[in-house]
Amino acid sequence: MRMLSVGAALALFAAPLPALAQSDPAIAPVQTLDAGLLGIMKAGSKAGVKGRAAAIGSVVDRSFDIPLMTRLAVGTSWPTIAPADQQALVAAFRRMTVNSYAVNFDGYGGQTFTVTPQVETRGGDKLVRTVLNDPKGSPVPISYRLRQTGGGWRIIDVFYKSVSQLATRRSDFEGVLQRGGAKALLARMDQLAAKGAG
């Protein structure tokens, strides 16, 4: 076997390699959320609801577009709401989202998340599908709709067992707004936040 010269060997290493397939950038926020959820599940009862909420809060801020989700959940009445009330509703929607995770993801029993690498495009949005695998139960499908805002992809809706959580909220919130306005909706969001979004 003929030995390659040092120069020829270096030339081989310098040759361009085939481009590796890059994962869709919309997957990253979902993976960040999944990792955060596993973290608070493992923290469990030792951390308590407040501890888990504190831990998952920053993850929610990085993964979700909470202001847009609030506007979409409120619906067509949003422009008629005073700016101060809009800010209060966004803050309440965030608390509701954070507390929902802190209350419902409270223990770990070997669960894992699987993210489907194929991302669907829906108009300007993307849909990322995942499965929560539970060794003691059936797999739970959870999908996320993401939109590009501020140079990155953020979650704007969660489909739990194929049901849009945003649509569910909108149906609830519209009735509350009609009956009692922004203050009543704020009270409703705080009620949901207190019990982990129900």
Side-chain angles (χ1 to χ4, degrees):
M1 178 182 289
R2 193 174 62 182
M3 297 294 292
L4 288 171
S5 70
V6 173
L10 290 175
L12 284 176
F13 283 110
L17 297 172
L20 296 175
Q22 297 293 315
S23 65
D24 193 293
I27 291 176
V30 175
Q31 291 175 323
T32 296
L33 176 62
D34 288 349
L37 292 176
L38 287 174
I40 64 170
M41 289 164 73
K42 289 174 181 177
S45 59
K46 192 173 182 180
V49 174
K50 286 186 178 179
R52 293 194 301 273
I56 201 65
S58 61
V59 176
V60 166
D61 293 337
R62 292 196 306 273
S63 303
F64 289 82
D65 188 337
I66 294 292
L68 178 56
M69 291 179 75
T70 309
R71 293 198 301 272
L72 293 173
V74 170
T76 56
S77 300
W78 181 260
T80 67
I81 298 172
D85 287 334
Q86 288 180 346
Q87 290 179 1
L89 289 171
V90 169
F93 196 96
R94 179 189 181 275
R95 284 194 300 277
M96 187 182 71
T97 303
V98 168
N99 286 3
S100 173
Y101 285 127
V103 168
N104 293 304
F105 289 78
D106 60 348
Y108 182 71
Q111 294 89 345
T112 60
F113 287 96
T114 302
V115 179
T116 302
Q118 292 78 26
V119 175
E120 295 178 33
T121 299
R122 296 190 173 183
D125 297 342
K126 294 193 175 186
L127 189 74
V128 176
R129 298 183 185 277
T130 73
V131 175
L132 172 58
N133 307 294
D134 188 344
K136 297 178 182 176
S138 301
V140 179
I142 307 172
S143 299
Y144 300 91
R145 189 169 191 141
L146 297 96
R147 186 168 295 173
Q148 197 166 24
T149 55
W153 289 93
R154 297 287 185 88
I155 297 166
I156 63 166
D157 196 4
V158 180
F159 296 84
Y160 179 69
K161 297 182 179 177
S162 302
V163 177
S164 164
Q165 300 304 293
L166 208 55
T168 301
R169 296 288 174 227
R170 189 183 301 117
S171 176
D172 178 23
F173 292 170
E174 283 179 350
V176 175
L177 265 174
Q178 289 172 0
R179 291 190 299 272
K183 295 293 189 285
L185 180 55
L186 183 59
R188 172 63 175 156
M189 287 188 184
D190 283 339
Q191 178 189 38
L192 291 169
K195 66 176 186 176

